[in-house]
Amino acid sequence: MRCLSVPSSLELFISAYFLNNQPHVARFLFEQMPQRNTTSYNTLISGYVKLGCLSDAQTIFDTMPESNVVSWTSLLRGYIQAGAINEAEALFRRMPEKNVISCTVMLGGLIQEGRIDDARRLFDTMPERDVVTRTIMVSGYCQMCRTAEAREIFDDMPRRNVIAWTAMISGYAHNLQLDQARKLFEVMPEKNEVTWTAMLTGYTQAGRIEEANDLFKRMKMKPVIACNAMIIGFGQCGMVTEARDVFNQMLEKDDGTWSSMVKIYEQNSSPLEALDLFRSMQMANCRPSVPSIVSVLIVCANLAILGHGRQVHAVMVRSHFDSDVFVVSALITVYVKCGELAMARMIFDMSDGKDVGLWNSMITGYAQHGLGEEALKIFNDMCSAGVIPDEITYIGALSACSYSGMVERGKAIFKSLNSNSIVRPTAEHYACMVDMLGRAGQIEKALEIIRKMPVEADAVVWGALLGACRIHKKVEIAEIAAKKLLQLEAWNSGPYILLSNIYAAMGRWEDVAKLRKVLSLRSVSKSPGCSWIEVDKTVHMFTGGDIMVHPEHEIIACMLERLDGLLKEMGYTPDLSYVLHDVDEEQKMLNLRYHSERQAVAFGLLKVREGMPIRVMKNLRICGDCHTAINLIAKAMAREIILRDANRFHHFKDGNCSCREYW
DNA sequence: AGTAACACCC
């Protein structure tokens, strides 16, 4: 009687369990095998390698009675995957027997390390090369932007399959040689979905959205990857509706589809749609991955909506994402931007394996809240911990000094930035310095810095100078800065408004009028001011004057009325000179009396539970008059009010603001 | 045992 070949069917099961991410079951089956041969051992080794369990693979390899070239190659692959290239090379040298495949695996490892020339040396000495070997070389050269050498290998190939063609096409596309890619695309014998997708993403990444869309429309099968690329491409061009159309038409979505769409809404100033879609994503039972959770967290941070942020945090903890540095630093930013510094700090302290980004989130967090000392303490801790600061670290540390008026310490940090060799000072660092000196009243020194800086001063730098001129009423330098800004960003109304405020404060009304004329002639865009507040997981958005839009506008109006009375009792009179000459869009609504931040505060007073702080966000800088008024309101109503504007936080409590009027 | 497309992120 003949028996079925039991071992081989068990091996099938073993690899199936590995694929299913159940190595213990696989191992159990292996232990149960009545007889094991080299192939059974190899199944186990490759299974462990695929799951990244290198030490298990190594143990099996060490204990197996007889290894062959396949066992060695699997293990080699394991070391390469783990990034242990030195160990891999040592292993490769020790191999008793090598064939095309093992050499090719080694080749891939070298390319992964960016060592294309070493790979080439190995390639030249190989006794035999096949399609796979050559294809790997083609994509290796392309990764290093050396498409000419890639093309030589490609042209030399005795035989080419779809994969080889696609590798060459996608290599050209990644290097923005789209027309070269297209030529090959047109002449190649048979294309598959991957080929089409490679060509398409080449176009989307180059911003050539029409050509991408042409291809996309011609594709019979539209794989998720191609659709996602199309969504991202449309999103980058600001074509939100088109992106959404693709999204809607997809029968099958992955988490990249959802999170890309969420991000597009967020970046194209549709935050509410972003959140709404995130909610639908959860309802569609789409399990978020690390990148998608990060992009949603960024939406929460940018909108500073604590309730949503907490919800995502909960999702994260449940999915065990709370150990990923990207996720954790985004989460810290959420709590920072929601004004929950203590929570941010706790998450920071609890995280281990802190990388630069994580430290940076905490440093910039303290800086944004005007807590310079704490920010610098974290900065020092970071250096003591042996973590190398990057550009962002320095921006955080310098702006911490700037917001807290610590000029001397700022200068010292700037000096150390200039003397270290790792980070080169950029325009942004100079902007911090200009901001710092400017706020401290050293406007001439700030201008001096701009004149001497080695990189070209951009709008951020000049904007910092102009802002300082506004605080200290330095009209001559303000004019210089404004003129520069008008050259750099003609579309931006900000400089006009600032300059006009300075003129107004000095009583130079003719200049105010002149500016106003220029502004209307140029019809520059004014970003509409809006404020929002989150109550019971709903975000309520207010725009200046548009009070009737809100469903509860009647009680809000009553509250505003009441607050007006209170303010009057406290001896407050609106700073009309300030208001009258602000050309901000919101100011036009003056006769409607209320700025968006005040509406949001009024709504908060009505809806937020007694004793809880009111958190209001504004997309622009808070208006000076509102700053005074809200400070008084916080005192009169005995409420803590936290207002985040475009620049920083203002914690109003007991008649004081955390910015100490230094903003 | 090894090859091509996306990739959102501090």
Side-chain angles (χ1 to χ4, degrees), chain A residues 279-321:
Chain A
R279 239 172 271 142
S280 321
M281 171 177 176
Q282 282 168 306
M283 284 192 291
N285 262 334
C286 176
R287 213 167 355 127
S289 69
V290 168
S292 72
I293 233 165
V294 172
S295 75
V296 171
L297 282 172
I298 286 171
V299 175
C300 296
N302 288 347
L303 292 175
I305 37 178
L306 186 56
H308 283 82
R310 285 200 181 116
Q311 230 176 308
V312 182
H313 188 179
V315 172
M316 255 176 65
V317 173
R318 239 180 308 165
S319 335
H320 304 290
F321 283 142

Side-chain angles (χ1 to χ4, degrees), chain A residues 122-301:
Chain A
L122 176 59
F123 178 81
D124 286 338
T125 54
M126 279 168 70
E128 171 193 358
R129 308 167 197 99
D130 62 14
V131 208
V132 181
T133 323
R134 294 171 203 267
T135 306
I136 288 179
M137 280 310 288
V138 167
S139 65
Y141 273 124
C142 289
Q143 274 166 41
M144 304 304 286
C145 310
R146 289 158 64 169
T147 45
E149 285 147 291
R151 183 59 188 261
E152 260 174 51
I153 297 208
F154 180 77
D155 286 340
D156 258 4
M157 285 174 82
R159 194 167 67 77
R160 299 182 195 101
N161 57 16
V162 200
I163 299 179
W165 280 92
T166 309
M168 193 65 235
I169 289 173
S170 117
Y172 274 136
H174 273 295
N175 287 288
L176 298 180
Q177 294 169 284
L178 287 165
D179 302 320
Q180 297 272 32
R182 186 59 185 252
K183 263 184 221 159
L184 287 186
F185 182 79
E186 294 302 337
V187 299
M188 79 182 270
E190 59 168 305
K191 312 182 233 304
N192 64 13
E193 285 170 24
V194 182
T195 323
W196 280 82
T197 309
M199 195 62 233
L200 181 137
T201 55
Y203 284 128
T204 59
Q205 280 166 0
R208 289 163 66 165
I209 194 70
E210 279 108 45
E211 283 149 297
N213 201 16
D214 277 346
L215 281 187
F216 187 63
K217 280 190 280 195
R218 280 168 49 200
M219 282 173 83
K220 281 176 226 84
M221 286 296 297
K222 294 180 170 59
V224 178
I225 290 172
C227 297
N228 291 358
M230 221 42 230
I231 289 177
I232 294 162
F234 278 132
Q236 278 162 353
C237 301
M239 298 164 76
V240 184
T241 324
E242 288 80 356
R244 183 61 195 238
D245 284 344
V246 176
F247 179 89
N248 288 343
Q249 280 159 24
M250 289 169 74
L251 299 175
E252 190 197 327
K253 301 178 176 69
D254 65 7
D255 82 289
T257 317
W258 288 93
S259 60
S260 303
M261 201 59 226
V262 169
K263 196 189 170 218
I264 288 166
Y265 278 131
E266 196 265 322
Q267 285 179 341
N268 289 280
S269 30
S270 310
L272 301 184
E273 285 80 356
L275 282 176
D276 207 44
L277 199 70
F278 178 61
R279 239 172 271 142
S280 321
M281 171 177 176
Q282 282 168 306
M283 284 192 291
N285 262 334
C286 176
R287 213 167 355 127
S289 69
V290 168
S292 72
I293 233 165
V294 172
S295 75
V296 171
L297 282 172
I298 286 171
V299 175
C300 296

